[in-house]
Amino acid sequence: MDIPLDDRPTHELESIIVAHADQIPPAAANAPPPRASGPSGSLARTLLSQPSKIMAGVQGFGSRVGGDKKHPGRTTAASGAKGLRFLDKKAGGWKAVEKRFDQFAVDGRLHKESFGRCIGMGESQEFAGELFVALARRGNMTPEHGITKDDLKEFWQQMTDQNFDARLQIFFDMCDKNGDGKLSENEVKEVIVLSASANKLSKLKAHAANYAALIMEELDPDGLGYIEIRQLETLIRGMVSSQVTERTLKRSHGHARRMIPKRYRYPVNRFVGKATDFVLENWKRIWVFSLWLTLNAVLAAWKFHQYGRRAAFEVMGYCVCVAKAAAETLKLNMALILIPVCRNTLTRLRSTRLSAVFPFDDNINFHKAIALAITIGTLVHTLAHVTCDFPRLIACPKSKFMRLLGPNFHYKQPTYPSLLASVPGVTGILMIIIMAFSFTLATHSFRRSVVKLPPPLHHLAGFNAFWYAHHLLAVVYVLLIVHSYFLFLTKEWYKKTTWMYLTIPLLFYACERLIRKVREKSIGVSIVKAAIYPGNVLSIHMKKPPGFRYKSGMYLFVKCPDVSPFEWHPFSITSAPDDEHLSVHIRTLGDWTTELRNLFGKVCQAQVTLKKANLVRLETTVVADVQFEDARFPKLYIDGPYGAPAQGYKKYDILLLIGLGIGATPFISILKDLLNNIKSNEETHDAAANYIQGNGPGRAYFYWVTREQGSFEWFKGVMNEVAESDHHVLIKHHRFLESISHRTTTDRKWLDLQNVIEMHNYLTSVYEEGDARSALIAMIQSLQHSKSGVDIVSGSRIRTHFARPNWKKVFSDLANAHKDSRIGVFYCGSPTLTKHLRELSQEFSHDSATRFDFHKENF
């Protein structure tokens, strides 16, 4: 099921893979790992010493991905389609640049300071400035005098030249400040600083001198003190030739589409097939939602019919039927809305057979749907009363009123003010106000602080406001019971049914809160270690409380009385179930997390002072643990664990885990759990039966996308463990393969399906591979990784890719590599990507023989 290594794109070849044993040549399996330095370990020297082999490989790659037909010896990359691009999509065409020239030019001349904004490099002003100087120097112009529109057009033609050699010469000239055709170590260092600044890589900028020395060591083996364009060309050509072209994407996607099942090949069959798939994918949601809608409809119809036969109908007509029908649905929904937030109950039910029937992962979505129904029911009930029932009661002839409804109103015909001032009127108004307030603060815009309000109203936005406002709904339940008890039209207590609806759900919810309170008092949390990472992330490691059992993917609630005695906040568990300690990683986003970080920051203050770091924006990792004398951590309480969609990952053949920024946290626990399984399998080799029975995924692909270089510090240990596991498993499995040559095919098959973890880190602050602004960064990355096995961006052994992943290609590759497999797609991060990933999951499930099941983490 694997993609052949020679057909894999660069980013897949560079990832860490626990390879299949049958892919390892016997000699290689037993051979020691290559040396980190020296001729055999130097990528650059290999390229320079064997240019014919490199170019042969380049041409071979070009023939596979679609080379230049007019020039058979030239690859797509080498022909300039992708390598060393100076301009991206933001630049637009020449007309857009010409328009910006008219905007920024002064007296018909464009100066260096405005060049970047003019050509679409507004975010890389320094880099654009050096490019401007290099192009001006090439044209024998004086940069200080600026350039005309004709000069700019000439610059534009040079930057967009499709010839790779031409653009390489521009890049070299930009590095060569004195124009002598040679790059000194100091010039290389200046360009590294420039590239690091353009890509927001502060750590790389700080070590620019070391990386300049590395480049000189690798590209200047004779110690001449300079490098020429030919050394740079050989290395960059080798790098850009491995970049995947758009034609490769279309081609691989075409392979996936050739696997289209028969029932999707024709329009009618496709429609029926998609409808069938939709039902099969969502049948649990459909039947629960349909049952809920049916219950609402039946209750509304029953109450409507009931009041159509009562005396009140002769006075208020169908208005009272509508109001009472809406009220009946309100009773039901005010009871049901509590069930989805009974987390302890749902967590236990997830582990039962009921999880095969009920969509427990959608509890929050169902909670929101019920809230919407309550809003609609409240509006209908209120409007029917105040715009129709009340006026008809007031306008009804007195004799008729006294005969039909006199006993219900103590033989006193009401007025509009008296109806509003009555117990039902006052409680109804108060319930509307509280629910409107609470529901508004629960919307995405307020809860996520999207709405920016002026002081002091800004306190109404954020999680704290949502949390406290939601607890006001307890008052609504009290008011609802009072409201129903003092109804005008119903006097018998047994016909006042509101308490019947609410009793059991309220008891369930009260028990939930009581359990939390008991846990808070009985489960003590002893903090072992805390760390503050770059990017304002707080890591807390605690001793695992006795009896605290959880699965990877679950989350827990944390309370810190020193911050707030009432607030509980949810965080994914980042430790594996078999780990000795329990850990969470908390990103500073709001008031509560900021205050918590500050409290732990005080514990780390001594270490921060020693490292001369700034607690407001740390650039280094600061750790405090119980071994320090002053490590007096704030008191914490935890509540959980609670179930989440990711905990069901073991039911899939393949995993695709996607985390954006801190959204990686629920998947770190899964990766650790898989690592523990791999280590256990290395020792026992008895996992074949477990896997064949479907007790675990065969491979996990983890894509972590972040915009800050410091984010990789958060889980560097996990990344290095994956890399270390790769090395050990690769050797041990090959030796094991030799030792079981007498075993059955089933035994040997286990080796092919052994757990594999493939990690892909993406840093979006760095310009995509092939951009001139990141070319030198990619070069240093390749050299350093070849020499020491450490990535310069993440500081781990996992290679980092630049820009954002091509998600369509990711899904296409998986569909090709794992035909007839069921892939679980788990995503945690910004909602902006949710729709796209869900659509891709559906698209490739329809268009290939692979099944993609999409899951989004909800809190």
Side-chain angles (χ1 to χ4, degrees), residues 1-9 12-13 23:
M1 296 295 181
D2 295 332
I3 303 173
L5 289 178
D6 57 351
D7 287 336
R8 284 176 178 250
E12 293 191 7
L13 293 175
Q23 293 175 346

Side-chain angles (χ1 to χ4, degrees), residues 361 552-554 644-650 657 666-667 670 826 855 857:
D361 290 345
S552 293
M554 285 185 166
Q647 77 177 70
Y649 72 93
K650 288 187 177 180
L657 311 174
F667 309 131
I670 293 176
F826 296 91
H855 302 273
E857 292 291 316

Side-chain angles (χ1 to χ4, degrees), residues 344-524:
N344 286 298
T345 303
L346 293 182
T347 299
R348 285 172 172 80
L349 291 176
R350 282 174 185 269
S351 302
T352 67
R353 293 183 178 180
L354 289 176
S355 61
V357 181
F358 290 92
F360 293 121
D361 290 345
D362 293 307
N363 62 315
I364 298 300
N365 292 330
F366 190 48
H367 180 76
K368 293 177 181 178
I370 297 173
L372 178 61
I374 290 174
T375 303
I376 296 172
T378 301
L379 288 174
V380 172
H381 179 74
T382 303
L383 290 175
H385 272 329
V386 299
T387 63
C388 187
D389 290 336
F390 288 5
R392 291 191 178 189
L393 277 173
I394 297 166
C396 180
K398 191 167 185 178
S399 59
K400 183 180 180 180
F401 175 83
M402 291 301 176
R403 176 170 53 86
L404 296 173
L405 298 177
N408 300 93
F409 290 86
H410 304 289
Y411 296 99
K412 183 179 179 180
Q413 189 167 1
T415 61
Y416 217 104
S418 68
L419 287 170
L420 295 177
S422 63
V423 174
V426 172
T427 54
I429 292 171
L430 290 175
M431 283 191 290
I432 290 173
I433 293 173
I434 295 173
M435 285 196 295
F437 180 71
S438 299
F439 287 13
T440 300
L441 298 190
T443 59
H444 174 79
S445 298
F446 278 87
R447 185 180 179 184
R448 298 294 184 182
S449 298
V450 177
V451 174
K452 303 300 180 184
L453 300 174
L457 297 178
H458 65 283
H459 292 296
L460 294 177
F463 184 85
N464 288 353
F466 153 78
W467 195 88
Y468 286 114
H470 244 53
H471 281 72
L472 287 175
L473 294 174
V475 179
V476 171
Y477 280 93
V478 175
L479 293 172
L480 179 60
I481 294 173
V482 174
H483 181 84
S484 65
Y485 184 78
F486 288 95
L487 290 177
F488 289 114
L489 302 180
T490 304
K491 294 301 181 183
E492 298 85 353
W493 68 271
Y494 55 85
K495 291 184 178 180
K496 298 175 180 180
T497 57
T498 301
W499 65 274
M500 300 179 187
Y501 283 96
L502 299 179
T503 300
I504 294 179
L506 283 174
L507 284 175
F508 261 102
Y509 187 73
C511 289
E512 289 271 334
R513 301 307 296 259
L514 183 61
I515 291 172
R516 176 178 290 186
K517 209 66 181 175
V518 170
R519 280 178 178 168
E520 178 181 336
K521 299 300 181 182
S522 61
I523 300 180

Side-chain angles (χ1 to χ4, degrees), residues 109 141 146-156 158:
R109 303 190 75 85
M141 305 175 191
I147 58 174
T148 64
K149 184 179 291 188
D150 290 338
D151 297 332
L152 178 63
K153 188 169 186 179
E154 183 179 345
F155 285 7
W156 173 266
Q158 293 182 47

